Amino acid sequence: MSYAYKVKPGDKVRLSSFDPKEHAGLSKDKAKDLTEDLGTEMASLQELLFAAGQTSLLIVLQGLDTSGKDGAIRSILTYANVQSCRVIPFKVPTSEELAHDFLWRVHRETPRSGAVSIFNRSHYEDVLIVRVHNLVPKQTWEQRYQQINQFEQLLISSGVLILKFFLHISKEEQRERLLEREKDPTKAWKLAVADWKEREHWDSYMDAYEDALTRCTTREAPWHIVPSDHKWFRNLAITQCIVESLRPFKDEWMKHLEKMGVEAKKELQKYRNGETGN
Amino acid sequence: MSYAYKVKPGDKVRLSSFDPKEHAGLSKDKAKDLTEDLGTEMASLQELLFAAGQTSLLIVLQGLDTSGKDGAIRSILTYANVQSCRVIPFKVPTSEELAHDFLWRVHRETPRSGAVSIFNRSHYEDVLIVRVHNLVPKQTWEQRYQQINQFEQLLISSGVLILKFFLHISKEEQRERLLEREKDPTKAWKLAVADWKEREHWDSYMDAYEDALTRCTTREAPWHIVPSDHKWFRNLAITQCIVESLRPFKDEWMKHLEKMGVEAKKELQKYRNGETGN
């Protein structure tokens, strides 16, 4: 079974139907053990992805403040080979970024063949925060859903696997986590009135997310809804999803590597024969 | 009248119907005078484009070897303000570029608001040289026409004006120009057997260009066929087309600038009043 819910094309997403506290009956310890095993498998799959160099992986993380995007990234990086894996945080756009179309800054950061890019926030902000705060006219953000689908299709056609995660937390859990920050001096830098103000738009965000998850789910680039009130379950669900998305390619990558190996050996043999001959 | 032929959506382009030697009955001197006048107008329109900062301009230059892309760029730059105008040549893709989708390297170079980008060759090479030399499977380049249209639509929706020029020369004129290079020691660096070999694919290139011009002409991003056997007529036709594309925006940009001016004056007045007050 999959711990995250994979949205299907045609689904009309209602976030209230998904329990952010879901943990599939697992204990924290059990979940951590499972994550450990899956993480190890993920690491070896990523090695293959890199070595075969045919496919690349784009992981998109979205979620409200405190939903655990940073934590999820830390969890992935525990296992990932950081040589071929980059984390790209998308902040408030710079003036240079705003002077281009909304996909310009994102397209630059897409992964090259064999590599992994993890987007901490993404082009989806342009139909989320931008929509909630009316930063552009409705007719502008309305056409972005289609533009996003076309852009993702372009990436897919050049061998990019796209995994999109919505970290789903409850409003109560967010409150706990914001209050938690106030107690922890090492998290003081994260304190902001803005977070509490943003929380007032909770319902608008839910609407915007439901639309994004509904309209930007395609067969090849679906959204995954990750119950995230329990951090350990969130990490498990994401790791599992990555592993299960990469696993079907294993044979293909292995075959490609073997073929490359055979060719490399031939070259080597030629070189050695030449050396002996001279 | 327009000196270049603007392809209309739905046109099935047959390049043999367009005379590369066309010069609209103009003499070289007359054409140069006209280019001079239009060039001056182009310069002031570009100033407005830059100052208003709402729109940007993307000029795409395509054509076979010796068709005069470099010469056309020199002619444009005679008048253009180079502060806000960049020329981007697209060469054989690097390994980094090949490791991404074909639009990746192009998207990075699109103009910011107010600016002009001139592409010397472009994303169209991926349905031209790539198609003629079978560098990717047909099913890959087949889908690129649509991907190009969607990409250009994205740019248009964020305020980019797109002008695409096909520099149309005759096969005889190309021969003359290649032979010319052999005589001129300052052009010796341009000599290449590859140019003569590429010329053997003339008909395949014509087919590929006809398809690109037919399938990637939209109402907002049409192709322009520029008779280019006469360099002075080519320069005139391109300059005219740029001017006529920018001219309709003049009033809008002027109004925007006036509005900005009024606001700036108010700010200044506030500042001065404050100063007197203190």
Side-chain angles (χ1 to χ4, degrees):
Chain A
M1 67 164 289
S2 291
Y3 299 125
Y5 178 78
K6 180 178 173 177
V7 180
K8 290 171 205 60
D11 275 1
K12 171 95 189 73
V13 174
R14 302 292 300 159
L15 285 172
S16 55
S17 338
F18 298 93
D19 183 6
K21 296 205 185 323
E22 174 66 52
H23 57 89
L26 296 172
S27 68
K28 183 172 177 177
D29 281 350
K30 178 67 184 162
K32 285 194 164 180
D33 286 349
L34 289 170
T35 306
E36 178 81 28
D37 291 346
L38 285 165
T40 310
E41 186 177 354
M42 179 170 74
S44 67
L45 284 166
Q46 194 210 337
E47 288 286 340
L48 275 180
L49 172 90
F50 177 67
Q54 298 182 300
T55 316
S56 59
L57 175 62
L58 173 59
I59 296 173
V60 171
L61 292 171
Q62 286 287 161
L64 294 182
D65 289 334
T66 77
S67 61
K69 296 181 291 295
D70 291 338
I73 291 171
R74 262 195 309 278
S75 165
I76 297 170
L77 293 185
T78 311
Y79 307 100
N81 178 341
V82 289
Q83 301 266 29
S84 61
C85 178
R86 291 167 59 240
V87 177
I88 302 105
F90 290 98
K91 312 274 186 185
V92 178
T94 64
S95 61
E96 186 63 23
E97 288 167 351
L98 283 175
H100 290 88
D101 68 90
F102 78 106
L103 293 171
W104 180 77
R105 65 173 185 163
V106 175
H107 201 172
R108 305 164 66 98
E109 305 291 356
T110 52
R112 58 164 295 155
S113 318
V116 180
S117 288
I118 304 176
F119 284 2
N120 187 347
R121 303 186 185 272
S122 67
H123 44 303
Y124 283 96
E125 291 298 332
D126 292 283
V127 289
L128 294 167
I129 190 170
V130 165
R131 167 174 159 168
V132 169
H133 290 285
N134 299 306
L135 302 183
V136 301
K138 181 174 179 185
Q139 68 190 66
T140 302
W141 59 253
E142 260 293 341
Q143 59 185 348
R144 288 183 175 166
Y145 298 99
Q146 193 194 1
Q147 290 169 335
I148 288 174
N149 287 341
Q150 291 173 347
F151 168 65
E152 293 182 355
Q153 211 52 48
L154 170 73
L155 300 181
I156 290 162
S157 77
S158 81
V160 182
L161 293 175
I162 306 180
L163 295 178
K164 301 184 288 196
F165 296 106
F166 169 64
L167 309 192
H168 186 35
I169 53 164
S170 61
K171 199 167 178 187
E172 309 77 65
E173 178 67 17
Q174 188 191 53
R175 183 165 179 278
E176 293 304 313
R177 292 187 186 180
L178 285 173
L179 290 172
E180 198 68 29
R181 280 188 190 165
E182 296 179 25
K183 287 184 211 148
D184 184 347
T186 70
K187 288 188 181 168
W189 63 276
K190 276 192 164 183
L191 288 184
V193 176
D195 292 338
W196 289 101
K197 282 197 178 162
E198 206 58 4
R199 185 173 154 80
E200 293 170 19
H201 300 283
W202 184 276
D203 292 341
S204 305
Y205 271 109
M206 289 301 113
D207 290 346
Y209 266 108
E210 286 179 351
D211 258 15
L213 271 59
T214 298
R215 299 172 70 177
C216 294
T217 279
T218 55
R219 194 177 55 80
E220 284 168 305
W223 274 96
H224 301 268
I225 300 171
V226 181
S228 298
D229 272 9
H230 298 291
K231 297 172 182 176
W232 41 269
F233 188 73
R234 170 200 74 204
N235 291 346
L236 169 61
I238 291 175
T239 312
Q240 183 201 40
C241 184
I242 297 174
V243 167
E244 295 192 342
S245 304
L246 297 183
R247 212 185 263 149
F249 291 90
K250 194 173 172 179
D251 286 351
E252 183 186 325
W253 293 338
M254 284 299 292
K255 262 183 216 155
H256 184 69
L257 283 171
E258 275 161 27
K259 209 178 114 201
M260 284 164 74
V262 169
E263 277 160 26
K265 265 186 199 152
K266 271 190 205 158
E267 283 302 306
L268 204 58
Q269 204 56 52
K270 260 194 240 170
Y271 168 74
R272 285 194 179 129
N273 291 345
E275 257 193 350
T276 323
N278 291 335
Chain B
M1 67 167 290
S2 290
Y3 298 125
Y5 178 77
K6 180 176 171 178
V7 181
K8 289 171 204 59
D11 275 0
K12 171 97 189 68
V13 174
R14 303 293 299 156
L15 286 172
S16 55
S17 338
F18 297 94
D19 182 6
K21 295 204 186 325
E22 174 67 51
H23 56 87
L26 296 172
S27 68
K28 183 171 174 175
D29 281 351
K30 179 65 184 164
K32 285 195 164 180
D33 285 351
L34 289 171
T35 307
E36 177 81 28
D37 290 347
L38 286 164
T40 310
E41 186 178 353
M42 179 171 74
S44 68
L45 285 166
Q46 194 208 336
E47 288 286 339
L48 276 179
L49 171 91
F50 176 68
Q54 297 181 299
T55 315
S56 59
L57 175 61
L58 172 59
I59 296 173
V60 172
L61 291 172
Q62 285 287 159
L64 294 181
D65 289 333
T66 77
S67 61
K69 298 182 289 295
D70 290 339
I73 290 170
R74 262 195 310 278
S75 166
I76 297 170
L77 293 184
T78 311
Y79 307 101
N81 178 341
V82 290
Q83 301 265 30
S84 61
C85 178
R86 290 167 58 241
V87 178
I88 303 105
F90 290 99
K91 312 274 187 187
V92 178
T94 63
S95 61
E96 186 63 24
E97 287 167 353
L98 284 174
H100 291 88
D101 68 271
F102 78 107
L103 293 171
W104 180 77
R105 65 173 184 163
V106 176
H107 202 170
R108 305 164 66 99
E109 305 293 354
T110 52
R112 57 165 293 158
S113 315
V116 180
S117 287
I118 304 177
F119 284 3
N120 187 349
R121 302 187 186 272
S122 66
H123 44 302
Y124 282 96
E125 291 298 332
D126 291 284
V127 290
L128 294 167
I129 190 169
V130 165
R131 166 173 159 170
V132 169
H133 290 285
N134 300 307
L135 302 183
V136 301
K138 182 173 179 184
Q139 71 191 62
T140 302
W141 58 254
E142 260 295 341
Q143 60 186 348
R144 287 183 177 167
Y145 298 99
Q146 194 193 1
Q147 289 169 335
I148 288 174
N149 287 340
Q150 290 173 348
F151 169 64
E152 293 183 354
Q153 212 51 50
L154 170 73
L155 300 181
I156 289 162
S157 77
S158 82
V160 182
L161 293 176
I162 305 181
L163 294 178
K164 302 184 287 196
F165 296 106
F166 169 64
L167 308 193
H168 186 35
I169 52 163
S170 61
K171 200 167 178 188
E172 308 79 62
E173 178 66 17
Q174 188 191 51
R175 184 165 178 277
E176 293 303 315
R177 292 187 186 179
L178 285 173
L179 289 172
E180 199 67 30
R181 279 188 191 166
E182 296 179 23
K183 290 183 207 148
D184 184 346
T186 69
K187 287 188 180 167
W189 63 275
K190 275 193 165 183
L191 289 184
V193 177
D195 291 338
W196 289 99
K197 282 197 178 162
E198 205 59 2
R199 184 174 155 79
E200 293 170 20
H201 300 283
W202 185 276
D203 292 341
S204 305
Y205 271 108
M206 288 302 111
D207 289 348
Y209 265 109
E210 285 179 351
D211 258 16
L213 270 60
T214 299
R215 298 171 71 176
C216 295
T217 279
T218 55
R219 195 176 57 80
E220 283 167 307
W223 274 96
H224 301 267
I225 300 172
V226 182
S228 298
D229 272 10
H230 297 293
K231 296 173 181 174
W232 40 270
F233 189 72
R234 171 201 74 205
N235 292 346
L236 169 61
I238 291 174
T239 312
Q240 183 201 40
C241 184
I242 297 174
V243 167
E244 293 190 344
S245 304
L246 298 182
R247 213 185 262 149
F249 292 91
K250 195 173 169 177
D251 285 352
E252 182 185 325
W253 294 337
M254 286 297 294
K255 260 183 218 155
H256 185 67
L257 283 170
E258 275 162 28
K259 209 178 114 200
M260 284 163 74
V262 169
E263 277 161 25
K265 266 186 200 151
K266 270 191 206 157
E267 284 303 306
L268 204 58
Q269 204 55 51
K270 259 196 241 167
Y271 167 74
R272 286 195 178 127
N273 289 345
E275 258 195 348
T276 324
N278 290 336

